[in-house]
Amino acid sequence: MKRRAVMRGLLAAVICGGVTLCAADETNSAAKSASASEAAQDDDLSAEEQEVLDAANAERAKSKLAALKSSSALMKVARAHATNMAKQKVLVHTLDEKSFSKRIDEAGYTFWSAGENIALGQKTGKEAVADWMTSPGHKANILSKDYTEIGIGRAVSKDGETYWVQVFARPQTEKPPVKVEKPAATTAK
């Protein structure tokens, strides 16, 4: 029987101060040179990658959120991580001592916020997105207003196991995500 797993515990959450990384994170400070985000729509998505993009954007549309755009830089990051996990037969966010934020940073992509979803065993991209939507943390990444771009990767191991990766980000070439602060409580005198 094939394993079917969605990483539920090791998840890049959506909130600054949590596991998601923001511009204030030391691995991606605004002090670094602001390289181009390579955010042009990537016309070279495979059918499986396009299926993931379409399914994720369909979920975002249900919540009245803007569609994610594919990013060439994030596509390279996601594809490389999926391939590396398939080669090593592991499902982890940190591999070869590199976190997803380190991989994004090394691709020259500077971001305000970023997150990652990974999965193993789903046959189709639509199935992978459906499984991510059953996990609160993965769903939060897909439906985050903080992300505007996506990279998608799919790789198959020698044993035939399929690995899926979504890398989300908002490049620093865009306005930072707006965080609404809760007003301090006041008391009447």
Side-chain angles (χ1 to χ4, degrees):
M1 180 164 106
K2 289 206 172 236
R3 288 182 302 155
R4 202 177 133 111
V6 174
M7 289 299 290
R8 296 182 195 278
L10 296 174
L11 171 68
V14 184
I15 317 168
C16 291
V19 197
T20 295
L21 300 169
C22 300
D25 188 294
E26 64 191 46
T27 63
N28 190 40
S29 70
K32 291 188 178 184
S33 63
S35 62
S37 73
E38 296 184 50
Q41 192 71 18
D42 188 343
D43 295 330
D44 295 329
L45 273 72
S46 69
E48 294 88 355
E49 292 165 345
Q50 187 66 52
E51 186 177 33
V52 171
L53 180 61
D54 292 345
N57 280 334
E59 292 295 341
R60 289 175 67 86
K62 291 177 192 175
S63 296
K64 300 188 184 336
L65 296 169
L68 296 166
K69 299 175 294 185
S70 66
S71 157
S72 297
L74 296 179
M75 290 298 295
K76 289 175 190 171
V77 171
R79 288 170 175 160
H81 188 53
T83 300
N84 196 15
M85 287 192 300
K87 180 180 173 185
Q88 296 189 42
K89 299 179 188 175
V90 295
L91 184 69
V92 293
H93 289 283
T94 301
L95 188 56
D96 299 331
E97 299 181 12
K98 291 183 184 178
S99 66
F100 72 92
S101 62
K102 180 74 170 168
R103 291 187 294 273
I104 296 169
D105 199 41
E106 286 180 352
Y109 184 104
T110 55
F111 57 89
W112 290 111
S113 55
E116 179 179 72
N117 287 347
I118 59 177
L120 168 64
Q122 295 78 8
K123 301 251 186 265
T124 68
K126 194 172 183 176
E127 188 180 318
V129 172
D131 281 355
W132 282 321
M133 291 301 290
T134 66
S135 164
H138 293 93
K139 180 179 181 176
N141 274 342
I142 292 169
L143 299 181
S144 175
K145 294 176 190 174
D146 289 347
Y147 304 139
T148 58
E149 296 184 351
I150 189 170
I152 301 154
R154 174 189 175 273
V156 180
S157 70
K158 287 183 180 181
D159 333 7
E161 293 285 355
T162 304
Y163 291 78
W164 300 92
V165 177
Q166 289 179 311
V167 177
F168 305 92
R170 175 184 293 262
Q172 285 189 356
T173 56
E174 296 179 9
K175 291 182 181 177
V178 176
K179 299 287 183 195
V180 178
E181 295 295 324
K182 195 173 182 179
T186 58
T187 57
K189 291 187 180 192

